[in-house]
PDB file of all heavy atoms in Angstrom:
ATOM      1  N   PHE A1649       8.655   8.530   6.683  1.00 97.00           N
ATOM      2  CA  PHE A1649       8.786   7.168   7.201  1.00 97.00           C
ATOM      3  C   PHE A1649      10.207   6.637   6.998  1.00 97.00           C
ATOM      4  O   PHE A1649      10.755   5.932   7.851  1.00 97.00           O
ATOM      5  CB  PHE A1649       7.796   6.236   6.491  1.00 97.00           C
ATOM      6  CG  PHE A1649       6.364   6.379   6.943  1.00 97.00           C
ATOM      7  CD1 PHE A1649       5.366   5.622   6.354  1.00 97.00           C
ATOM      8  CD2 PHE A1649       6.004   7.266   7.941  1.00 97.00           C
ATOM      9  CE1 PHE A1649       4.049   5.726   6.755  1.00 97.00           C
ATOM     10  CE2 PHE A1649       4.685   7.392   8.354  1.00 97.00           C
ATOM     11  CZ  PHE A1649       3.702   6.618   7.760  1.00 97.00           C
ATOM     12  N   THR A1650      10.795   6.962   5.847  1.00 97.00           N
ATOM     13  CA  THR A1650      12.167   6.528   5.571  1.00 97.00           C
ATOM     14  C   THR A1650      13.115   7.057   6.634  1.00 97.00           C
ATOM     15  O   THR A1650      13.968   6.317   7.151  1.00 97.00           O
ATOM     16  CB  THR A1650      12.591   7.012   4.175  1.00 97.00           C
ATOM     17  OG1 THR A1650      11.693   6.470   3.202  1.00 97.00           O
ATOM     18  CG2 THR A1650      14.005   6.565   3.839  1.00 97.00           C
ATOM     19  N   ASP A1651      12.961   8.336   6.986  1.00 97.00           N
ATOM     20  CA  ASP A1651      13.789   8.912   8.052  1.00 97.00           C
ATOM     21  C   ASP A1651      13.497   8.244   9.388  1.00 97.00           C
ATOM     22  O   ASP A1651      14.413   7.957  10.173  1.00 97.00           O
ATOM     23  CB  ASP A1651      13.530  10.417   8.160  1.00 97.00           C
ATOM     24  CG  ASP A1651      14.043  11.194   6.964  1.00 97.00           C
ATOM     25  OD1 ASP A1651      14.833  10.632   6.172  1.00 97.00           O
ATOM     26  OD2 ASP A1651      13.665  12.385   6.819  1.00 97.00           O
ATOM     27  N   ALA A1652      12.213   8.009   9.676  1.00 97.00           N
ATOM     28  CA  ALA A1652      11.833   7.418  10.965  1.00 97.00           C
ATOM     29  C   ALA A1652      12.403   6.015  11.138  1.00 97.00           C
ATOM     30  O   ALA A1652      12.754   5.606  12.251  1.00 97.00           O
ATOM     31  CB  ALA A1652      10.308   7.387  11.082  1.00 97.00           C
ATOM     32  N   LEU A1653      12.508   5.271  10.040  1.00 96.00           N
ATOM     33  CA  LEU A1653      13.025   3.898  10.108  1.00 96.00           C
ATOM     34  C   LEU A1653      14.543   3.844  10.058  1.00 96.00           C
ATOM     35  O   LEU A1653      15.138   2.777  10.260  1.00 96.00           O
ATOM     36  CB  LEU A1653      12.444   3.065   8.959  1.00 96.00           C
ATOM     37  CG  LEU A1653      10.952   2.741   9.079  1.00 96.00           C
ATOM     38  CD1 LEU A1653      10.415   2.200   7.759  1.00 96.00           C
ATOM     39  CD2 LEU A1653      10.709   1.740  10.210  1.00 96.00           C
ATOM     40  N   GLY A1654      15.174   4.967   9.746  1.00 94.00           N
ATOM     41  CA  GLY A1654      16.638   5.002   9.715  1.00 94.00           C
ATOM     42  C   GLY A1654      17.248   4.274   8.534  1.00 94.00           C
ATOM     43  O   GLY A1654      18.413   3.877   8.593  1.00 94.00           O
ATOM     44  N   VAL A1655      16.484   4.101   7.462  1.00 94.00           N
ATOM     45  CA  VAL A1655      17.042   3.501   6.247  1.00 94.00           C
ATOM     46  C   VAL A1655      17.495   4.627   5.322  1.00 94.00           C
ATOM     47  O   VAL A1655      17.091   5.781   5.478  1.00 94.00           O
ATOM     48  CB  VAL A1655      16.028   2.567   5.544  1.00 94.00           C
ATOM     49  CG1 VAL A1655      15.723   1.363   6.424  1.00 94.00           C
ATOM     50  CG2 VAL A1655      14.738   3.309   5.202  1.00 94.00           C
ATOM     51  N   PRO A1656      18.369   4.355   4.346  1.00 95.00           N
ATOM     52  CA  PRO A1656      18.907   5.425   3.503  1.00 95.00           C
ATOM     53  C   PRO A1656      17.821   6.183   2.746  1.00 95.00           C
ATOM     54  O   PRO A1656      16.782   5.623   2.381  1.00 95.00           O
ATOM     55  CB  PRO A1656      19.824   4.672   2.530  1.00 95.00           C
ATOM     56  CG  PRO A1656      20.184   3.407   3.241  1.00 95.00           C
ATOM     57  CD  PRO A1656      18.975   3.041   4.043  1.00 95.00           C
ATOM     58  N   ALA A1657      18.070   7.467   2.528  1.00 95.00           N
ATOM     59  CA  ALA A1657      17.142   8.293   1.751  1.00 95.00           C
ATOM     60  C   ALA A1657      16.901   7.647   0.388  1.00 95.00           C
ATOM     61  O   ALA A1657      17.827   7.155  -0.254  1.00 95.00           O
ATOM     62  CB  ALA A1657      17.713   9.693   1.582  1.00 95.00           C
ATOM     63  N   GLY A1658      15.633   7.629  -0.042  1.00 95.00           N
ATOM     64  CA  GLY A1658      15.289   7.031  -1.324  1.00 95.00           C
ATOM     65  C   GLY A1658      15.208   5.521  -1.306  1.00 95.00           C
ATOM     66  O   GLY A1658      15.065   4.903  -2.377  1.00 95.00           O
ATOM     67  N   TYR A1659      15.263   4.904  -0.136  1.00 95.00           N
ATOM     68  CA  TYR A1659      15.291   3.441  -0.028  1.00 95.00           C
ATOM     69  C   TYR A1659      14.094   2.797  -0.742  1.00 95.00           C
ATOM     70  O   TYR A1659      14.235   1.752  -1.394  1.00 95.00           O
ATOM     71  CB  TYR A1659      15.294   3.031   1.445  1.00 95.00           C
ATOM     72  CG  TYR A1659      15.420   1.543   1.666  1.00 95.00           C
ATOM     73  CD1 TYR A1659      16.666   0.929   1.777  1.00 95.00           C
ATOM     74  CD2 TYR A1659      14.280   0.727   1.753  1.00 95.00           C
ATOM     75  CE1 TYR A1659      16.781  -0.442   1.962  1.00 95.00           C
ATOM     76  CE2 TYR A1659      14.387  -0.638   1.941  1.00 95.00           C
ATOM     77  CZ  TYR A1659      15.641  -1.216   2.041  1.00 95.00           C
ATOM     78  OH  TYR A1659      15.751  -2.573   2.226  1.00 95.00           O
ATOM     79  N   PHE A1660      12.929   3.427  -0.638  1.00 96.00           N
ATOM     80  CA  PHE A1660      11.712   2.826  -1.196  1.00 96.00           C
ATOM     81  C   PHE A1660      11.423   3.286  -2.626  1.00 96.00           C
ATOM     82  O   PHE A1660      10.418   2.851  -3.220  1.00 96.00           O
ATOM     83  CB  PHE A1660      10.500   3.168  -0.314  1.00 96.00           C
ATOM     84  CG  PHE A1660      10.545   2.538   1.056  1.00 96.00           C
ATOM     85  CD1 PHE A1660      10.907   3.289   2.162  1.00 96.00           C
ATOM     86  CD2 PHE A1660      10.238   1.202   1.238  1.00 96.00           C
ATOM     87  CE1 PHE A1660      10.951   2.724   3.434  1.00 96.00           C
ATOM     88  CE2 PHE A1660      10.276   0.617   2.494  1.00 96.00           C
ATOM     89  CZ  PHE A1660      10.639   1.383   3.601  1.00 96.00           C
ATOM     90  N   ASP A1661      12.259   4.153  -3.192  1.00 96.00           N
ATOM     91  CA  ASP A1661      11.946   4.734  -4.502  1.00 96.00           C
ATOM     92  C   ASP A1661      11.750   3.675  -5.581  1.00 96.00           C
ATOM     93  O   ASP A1661      10.799   3.746  -6.377  1.00 96.00           O
ATOM     94  CB  ASP A1661      13.049   5.706  -4.929  1.00 96.00           C
ATOM     95  CG  ASP A1661      13.038   6.997  -4.132  1.00 96.00           C
ATOM     96  OD1 ASP A1661      12.152   7.150  -3.261  1.00 96.00           O
ATOM     97  OD2 ASP A1661      13.934   7.836  -4.352  1.00 96.00           O
ATOM     98  N   SER A1662      12.640   2.694  -5.636  1.00 96.00           N
ATOM     99  CA  SER A1662      12.555   1.672  -6.681  1.00 96.00           C
ATOM    100  C   SER A1662      11.402   0.700  -6.442  1.00 96.00           C
ATOM    101  O   SER A1662      11.071  -0.101  -7.321  1.00 96.00           O
ATOM    102  CB  SER A1662      13.868   0.888  -6.770  1.00 96.00           C
ATOM    103  OG  SER A1662      14.104   0.160  -5.574  1.00 96.00           O
ATOM    104  N   MET A1663      10.763   0.778  -5.264  1.00 96.00           N
ATOM    105  CA  MET A1663       9.628  -0.086  -4.944  1.00 96.00           C
ATOM    106  C   MET A1663       8.293   0.631  -5.116  1.00 96.00           C
ATOM    107  O   MET A1663       7.231   0.024  -4.953  1.00 96.00           O
ATOM    108  CB  MET A1663       9.736  -0.600  -3.512  1.00 96.00           C
ATOM    109  CG  MET A1663      11.053  -1.275  -3.179  1.00 96.00           C
ATOM    110  SD  MET A1663      11.074  -1.853  -1.466  1.00 96.00           S
ATOM    111  CE  MET A1663      12.837  -1.864  -1.127  1.00 96.00           C
TER     112      MET A1663
END
Side-chain angles (χ1 to χ4, degrees):
F1649 284 178
T1650 301
D1651 291 346
L1653 290 167
V1655 295
Y1659 184 89
F1660 293 102
D1661 288 359
S1662 64
M1663 307 180 205

